[in-house]
């Protein structure tokens, strides 16, 4: 059963990150401007998030561990930004959810 949960989470993580960073990219641009972050940082974060989100789907143990770990680190950085600008928990929830989902994927892959 755990195997299926992990597989569903891998797909959910990948689809949700793709959805935020591709069709909703205009929102990302506005968010990074609002936080006064440079364009190069936004682009680097996007490339890393999309790459890390793809890695676990490829089902290689090292790629799963790398992708899930990378996303956890990026989501903690996102939480740091949300705390810095004093966003409500509503804005923090997606990062928190990603941390837990990727944490579970990471734990079950070890």
């Amino acid at each position: 059963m755990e195997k299926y949960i992990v597989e569903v989470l891998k797909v959910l993580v990948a689809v949700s990150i793709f959805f935020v960073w591709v069709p909703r990219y205009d929102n990302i641009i506005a968010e990074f401007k609002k936080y006064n972050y440079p364009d190069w940082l936004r682009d680097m974060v996007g490339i890393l998030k999309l790459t890390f989100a793809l890695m676990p789907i490829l089902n290689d143990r090292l790629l799963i561990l790398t992708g899930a770990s990378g996303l956890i680190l990026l989501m903690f950085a996102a939480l740091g930004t949300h705390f810095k600008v004093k966003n409500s928990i509503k804005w923090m929830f997606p990062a928190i959810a990603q941390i837990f989902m990727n944490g579970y994927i990471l734990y079950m892959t070890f």
Side-chain angles (χ1 to χ4, degrees):
M1 181 65 169
E2 291 92 11
K3 178 184 172 188
Y4 297 111
I5 293 170
V6 170
E7 293 305 314
V8 167
L9 287 176
K10 287 184 205 177
V11 172
L12 183 60
V13 164
V15 168
S16 63
I17 288 178
F18 177 83
F19 179 73
V20 169
W21 281 87
V22 178
R24 299 185 66 229
Y25 189 64
D26 290 342
N27 293 2
I28 295 295
I29 291 170
E31 244 182 88
F32 272 73
K33 284 185 191 222
K34 175 181 156 188
Y35 301 146
N36 254 350
Y37 288 153
D39 292 347
W40 67 264
L41 180 62
R42 178 198 64 226
D43 295 342
M44 184 179 73
V45 168
I47 290 166
L48 288 172
K49 278 191 178 182
L50 290 167
T51 302
F52 287 147
L54 175 66
M55 287 177 163
I57 302 263
L58 299 176
N59 274 333
D60 174 79
R61 187 173 183 274
L62 181 58
L63 291 177
I64 296 168
L65 296 174
T66 303
S69 299
L71 285 172
I72 289 169
L73 288 173
L74 288 172
M75 294 306 166
F76 271 116
L79 275 181
T81 294
H82 289 302
F83 280 117
K84 178 182 157 188
V85 299
K86 297 177 177 43
N87 278 339
S88 70
I89 192 75
K90 172 186 154 189
W91 288 96
M92 296 179 199
F93 181 74
I96 294 167
Q98 284 283 341
I99 289 168
F100 279 105
M101 289 188 294
N102 282 289
Y104 187 77
I105 292 167
L106 192 64
Y107 175 76
M108 295 305 292
T109 303
F110 270 115

